[in-house]
Amino acid sequence: MARTKDTDATAAKPKKQGRIKQMVEVFKVTQEADRSTLPWMIGALVVSILVLTILSKLILGMVWYGIFLGIAVGLLAAMFILARKAESAAFNRIKGQSGAPLAAMQSIRRGWNVEEEPVQMDPRSQKMIFRASGRAGVAIVAEDGSGPSMRMLEKETRRVKRVLNNEPIPIHRIVVGDGEDQTPLHKLPSYLTRMKKTLTKDESAAVGKRLAALTPSLRTAVPKGIDPTRTRGVSKKAMMRGGR
């Protein structure tokens, strides 16, 4: 039994060290992209310690309790800031790249069923349209506000309406960009997540199945030599490596 415990402890130690190493790497990459990361993390730690120490002194008459609690809360706040900064840095690196909106959409953990391939693609400009369905309805996302993108956005909207038989299911047309009436790339996941849920789980599942029938038509529309599935590589690796 003793050997088993020693083996378990040895196996757990590298795993813990791996997580710490990963966090250090994330911090290095994020700090390199955004120099304000470290000052914000230190500021969160210091402010937490000061505020909780003062409150502990006034309410409980104890200083050390506030310091320990402040360190714990400050570390959590610093990790939260690091996570947000890392996410923002990752989005900034892939911004403007083909397939970037898909990477942003796939970062949503739940609530949306995101198509893994583009649903529309312009052979010349190689602009793409992406789609997702969920309890908030159907989201059709264009990479930018260019002419080809807007034409494909309109085309996909008509296709979705036909397959849904013009039922009163919300269809959200989203254009990624920094212009008026556009959604910045880094805000796309939160924008989708905050949408009002109007469908039940069963209704959402039924919509997803009906939309699945539209996907195969893209392959017949794309000329040879262009593989729409290559956007998967952007979506999965770009968020981890900054689209390098």
Side-chain angles (χ1 to χ4, degrees), residues 4 9 37 40 48 62 72 80 83-84 107 133 144 163 170 180-181 208 218 220 225:
T4 303
T37 301
W40 272 100
S48 297
M62 295 185 295
F80 175 78
R84 295 299 299 269
S107 70
S133 62
D144 55 29
V163 78
E180 187 178 356
D181 297 328
L218 175 63
T220 61

Side-chain angles (χ1 to χ4, degrees), residues 115-120 131 156 159 208 210-220:
E115 297 285 345
E116 294 184 353
E117 299 177 5
V119 293
Q120 294 284 340
R131 190 182 66 220
E156 183 62 22
R159 294 176 71 222
R210 294 166 69 177
L211 291 176
L214 293 176
T215 304
S217 62
L218 175 63
R219 291 189 176 277
T220 61

Side-chain angles (χ1 to χ4, degrees), residues 148-196:
S149 293
M150 299 310 293
R151 286 192 292 271
M152 288 189 296
L153 185 64
E154 183 63 32
K155 179 180 178 181
E156 183 62 22
T157 301
R158 292 195 300 267
R159 294 176 71 222
V160 170
K161 287 182 177 179
R162 282 198 301 268
V163 78
L164 296 179
N165 296 324
N166 292 317
E167 295 178 12
I169 296 173
I171 299 177
H172 308 279
R173 295 156 48 103
I174 303 171
V175 178
V176 175
D178 299 320
E180 187 178 356
D181 297 328
Q182 296 182 346
T183 303
L185 180 65
H186 68 280
K187 292 184 178 180
L188 181 58
S190 59
Y191 180 77
L192 290 169
T193 303
R194 291 198 304 267
M195 285 184 176
K196 183 179 179 180

Side-chain angles (χ1 to χ4, degrees), residues 2 21 43 67 74 78 83 87 90 99 114 117 123 128 131-132 137 140 154 159 190 207 212 215 219 222 238 242:
K21 183 178 179 180
I67 293 176
E87 182 181 50
V114 180
E117 299 177 5
M128 292 177 282
R131 190 182 66 220
I140 306 175
E154 183 63 32
R159 294 176 71 222
S190 59
V207 169
T215 304
R219 291 189 176 277
V222 177

Side-chain angles (χ1 to χ4, degrees), residues 67-110:
I67 293 176
F68 290 137
L69 185 60
I71 292 174
V73 173
L75 289 175
L76 288 175
M79 290 301 100
F80 175 78
I81 290 173
L82 176 60
R84 295 299 299 269
K85 290 283 188 179
E87 182 181 50
S88 178
F91 283 133
N92 287 335
R93 284 192 177 94
I94 65 174
K95 184 178 180 181
Q97 294 188 26
S98 181
L102 179 59
M105 294 165 69
Q106 290 183 332
S107 70
I108 302 174
R109 295 182 179 180
R110 59 182 180 179

Side-chain angles (χ1 to χ4, degrees), residues 230-244:
R230 293 186 62 185
T231 56
R232 293 183 183 180
V234 176
S235 63
K236 292 181 179 179
K237 294 180 182 179
M239 296 299 293
M240 297 299 296
R241 300 180 182 177
R244 295 176 182 176

